[in-house]
Amino acid sequence: MEAVAQFTFRATENDELSFTKGDVLKITNMEDDPNWYTAELDSRKGFVPKNYINLRPHAWFAGRVSRGVAEGRLRPRECGAFLVRESESAPGEFSMSVSYGDHVQHFKVLQDRCGQYYVWDELFSSLNELVVFYHTNSIAKERTVLLRDPEHFARGPATKTSWG
């Protein structure tokens, strides 16, 4: 998830992250402390005070949900329905769950040494950029599966009246 700095913050401890008003931070953990998030900026990582930033939440970000819960939310759904969730097995990492229509495929979102995100070969500086890319490029290798934003889907199976 991304956040925009509303104020400039100067770290006073080694584990804090300094930033300037207007910087866009990658939020990597929101669970451990009610007042501080873990974030990344320009390959630097540290704690940031949550009252200094404004989160850019997306309907597709599910937070810390299990693989099974993700499958329940995405089945039955139109091919391309997706969500991004925090990894159960690797805290601070992410997985993308995508409906293929008849089943749900899970992709581990990897990070290189510079903090760039990727699923296949293309590198992105944020999860948001990765998601935008796969709206127009197939996430699947064996067939074309384009991501579709959650607001395009009604609760439950698609019907003629659920598409507005």
Side-chain angles (χ1 to χ4, degrees), residues 27-97:
I27 305 301
T28 58
N29 185 318
M30 300 169 50
E31 304 288 329
D32 295 339
D33 188 304
N35 300 310
W36 295 82
Y37 295 152
T38 305
E40 186 176 321
L41 177 65
D42 300 327
S43 300
R44 298 176 294 120
K45 298 179 182 182
F47 290 101
V48 299
K50 77 175 198 177
N51 59 335
Y52 276 60
I53 61 174
N54 186 19
L55 293 175
R56 289 182 173 171
H58 293 278
W60 48 258
F61 186 73
R64 193 175 287 175
V65 300
S66 70
R67 182 183 184 110
V69 167
E71 289 177 0
R73 289 184 186 175
L74 294 171
R75 222 180 349 198
R77 295 288 185 169
E78 185 101 4
C79 185
F82 75 101
L83 59 81
V84 175
R85 59 190 174 84
E86 294 179 41
S87 173
E88 290 179 282
S89 57
E93 295 182 11
F94 301 95
S95 296
M96 182 179 292
S97 301

Side-chain angles (χ1 to χ4, degrees), residues 14 22 25 27 43 59 65 67 93 123 125 128 131 153 163:
N14 290 339
L25 308 167
I27 305 301
S43 300
V65 300
R67 182 183 184 110
E93 295 182 11
L123 297 173
S125 61
N128 293 351
V131 166
F153 300 96
W163 291 95

